[in-house]
Amino acid sequence: MRATRTDSAMLLLVALCASQASLTQDPGGLDLEALGTEIERGVAAVTGRAFRKPVAIATTNAEEFTAYAIGKLEEDGGAERMASDEVIAKHLGLVGRDVDLRALTLEVLAEQVGGFYDPPTDSFRVVEGLSADLTRVIMAHEFTHALDDQHYDLDGLDTAREGSTDAQLALHALAEGSAMEVMERWMMANLATLDMAAVQESQASFSSAALQAAPSYVWKPLLASYMAGQTFLRKVERRTLLTPPASMADVERAWSAPPRSMEQVLHPAKYWDPEQVDEPTAVTLPDALIPEGWTARRRDTLGELLLGILVTPPKQRSGLEVDPMKLMSMSYTHPAAAGWDGDQVVLLRGPEGAAATVLLTVWDSATDADEFEASLVPALGPEFAGAVESAEDRADAPAPLVRAGRAVALVRGDVARLGLDRTALRAHLVALDRSLGEE
């Protein structure tokens, strides 16, 4: 998906199709208008849906795309959101303290740019110099985004989910899963006219050093949108080369009511099976609990995928391996996050630059909450363990961890300066737990 409002995950999504591309020169040049007509017909035939208008096509280069990405980042408060997300990620141990999220995002983009679809302008742009066959493959993917946009308004759907990274990632997974399914079908239908050896050589030769070196907080949501998104449409949690493709009827059904959480994407039965449907629970930190002098600068929902990274001890967070078989079998969750039912993370700013992050979570069962709570010390380290132990010994001390039934709250950053009322926070968690009903 390519939307106007772009946070770090969204900007990275803009680039992934280019991760399938190296800049293989085509001395003869490309007739983009003719290619566009060919691809429109092919994508329409695969999906059974007609394009409502032609897709505008233009060429660009890496420098122009980087400038475009920076512009998207700056508009609608995107830069401020990314800065807040960086603070939250550092408080929660999702990235190192020395990571510059904006610079890393732009580095990955600059390394991988190849082509993108832009919903606000209804246009597709391809980087100059791609080989004809590789351009056709990328266009089949991106034109699927264009077709989905014409029928379902990708930008509007994404905007409606602002305030929840989890819900936006679920939508991105549907968009990328849809485009992957159509692209693969288009490729199979056009094998006779594609030089697959050249395409595969190009795929293997692209640079991914920055992506491979990035923390899992950066690359895992990106890969999940493509890999888990396609697996979701195939209605399985793990797929193999023998897993049947998704039906176009199921793709249309998913677009008619997109998944509302990554939990539904990662566990497809929680979306597709009427007896197992599990909708996310809304969780909120009331303003009344925020101490005087502090303000909420960012409210978001992380969801199962990002909490799965949080509860994984840092030494077990492997880097990205660009191996198709490993990517296909990769898990995008963690046992201690699999019982997720809802969350809200809030970045609070206080006097003299103080900052704290409050993460409220609710879980499907007390056992799931136990697993999440138990995972936090190994994930966050001995300093966190010491703070928890110290708070247990002093009833008046600010608590970094508070639990009530199926609700768990984590407080990070300037915990002492924040001085969040532990009794009031626990009372709120008790109310949250009761609102969940019986297990």
Side-chain angles (χ1 to χ4, degrees), residues 337-415:
W340 177 90
D341 196 47
D343 76 73
Q344 184 177 72
V345 65
V346 185
L347 175 63
L348 300 172
R349 287 288 189 179
E352 301 176 354
T357 293
V358 179
L359 172 64
L360 301 183
T361 66
V362 291
W363 301 87
D364 290 334
S365 70
T367 300
D368 293 321
D370 289 340
E371 292 178 358
F372 174 71
E373 183 179 15
S375 73
L376 292 176
V377 168
L380 297 176
E383 182 179 341
F384 174 73
V388 171
E389 184 176 348
S390 175
E392 289 175 349
D393 294 337
R394 293 179 51 201
D396 61 336
L401 184 64
V402 180
R403 165 83 182 277
R406 288 163 286 176
V408 182
L410 175 66
V411 187
R412 299 285 286 163
D414 292 323
V415 179

Side-chain angles (χ1 to χ4, degrees), residues 297-319:
R297 291 292 182 87
R298 173 84 160 118
R299 291 180 182 267
D300 194 12
T301 297
L302 299 181
E304 181 176 335
L305 189 152
L306 292 179
L307 290 184
I309 299 172
L310 166 61
V311 299
T312 302
K315 291 184 179 180
Q316 296 178 21
R317 298 175 190 172
S318 60

Side-chain angles (χ1 to χ4, degrees), residues 1 26 29 37 41 75 121 125 152 158-159 183 215 240 253 267 306 314 367 395 397 400 409 426:
M1 176 194 287
D26 176 26
T37 299
R41 290 173 179 168
E75 66 184 35
T121 60
R125 299 186 186 184
Y152 296 104
D158 195 63
T159 299
M183 182 187 76
T240 69
R253 176 183 164 189
H267 309 284
L306 292 179
T367 300
R426 179 172 284 109

Side-chain angles (χ1 to χ4, degrees), residues 17-18 20-24 130-140 194-195 198-200 202-203:
C17 273
Q20 301 168 19
S22 66
L23 299 184
T24 304
L130 294 180
S131 66
D133 281 346
L134 191 53
T135 298
R136 292 168 70 203
V137 172
I138 292 175
M139 288 175 72
L194 284 172
D195 183 349
V199 171
Q200 290 170 358
S202 295
Q203 289 175 326

Side-chain angles (χ1 to χ4, degrees), residues 43-52 144-154 157 171 174-175 177-179 181-182 185 232-235 246-259 271-272:
V43 169
V46 169
T47 62
R49 283 185 281 145
F51 281 83
R52 293 174 174 172
T144 305
H145 289 318
L147 182 62
D148 289 340
D149 185 37
Q150 290 181 16
H151 284 261
Y152 296 104
D153 183 13
L154 302 188
L157 288 172
L171 182 66
L174 171 57
S178 169
E181 285 290 325
V182 174
R185 278 177 167 79
F232 160 76
L233 288 171
R234 297 185 180 194
K235 301 182 179 180
S247 72
M248 287 297 104
D250 283 336
V251 175
E252 292 301 305
R253 176 183 164 189
W255 274 118
S256 69
Y271 175 88
W272 296 105

Side-chain angles (χ1 to χ4, degrees), residues 94 166 169 216-217 220-225 228 262-263 266 302-310 332-334 337 340:
L94 292 166
D166 179 54
L169 286 176
S216 52
Y217 172 77
K220 210 161 195 177
L222 167 62
L223 266 293
S225 293
M262 280 304 293
E263 177 189 40
L266 298 172
L302 299 181
E304 181 176 335
L305 189 152
L306 292 179
L307 290 184
I309 299 172
L310 166 61
Y332 294 95
T333 186
H334 186 284
W340 177 90

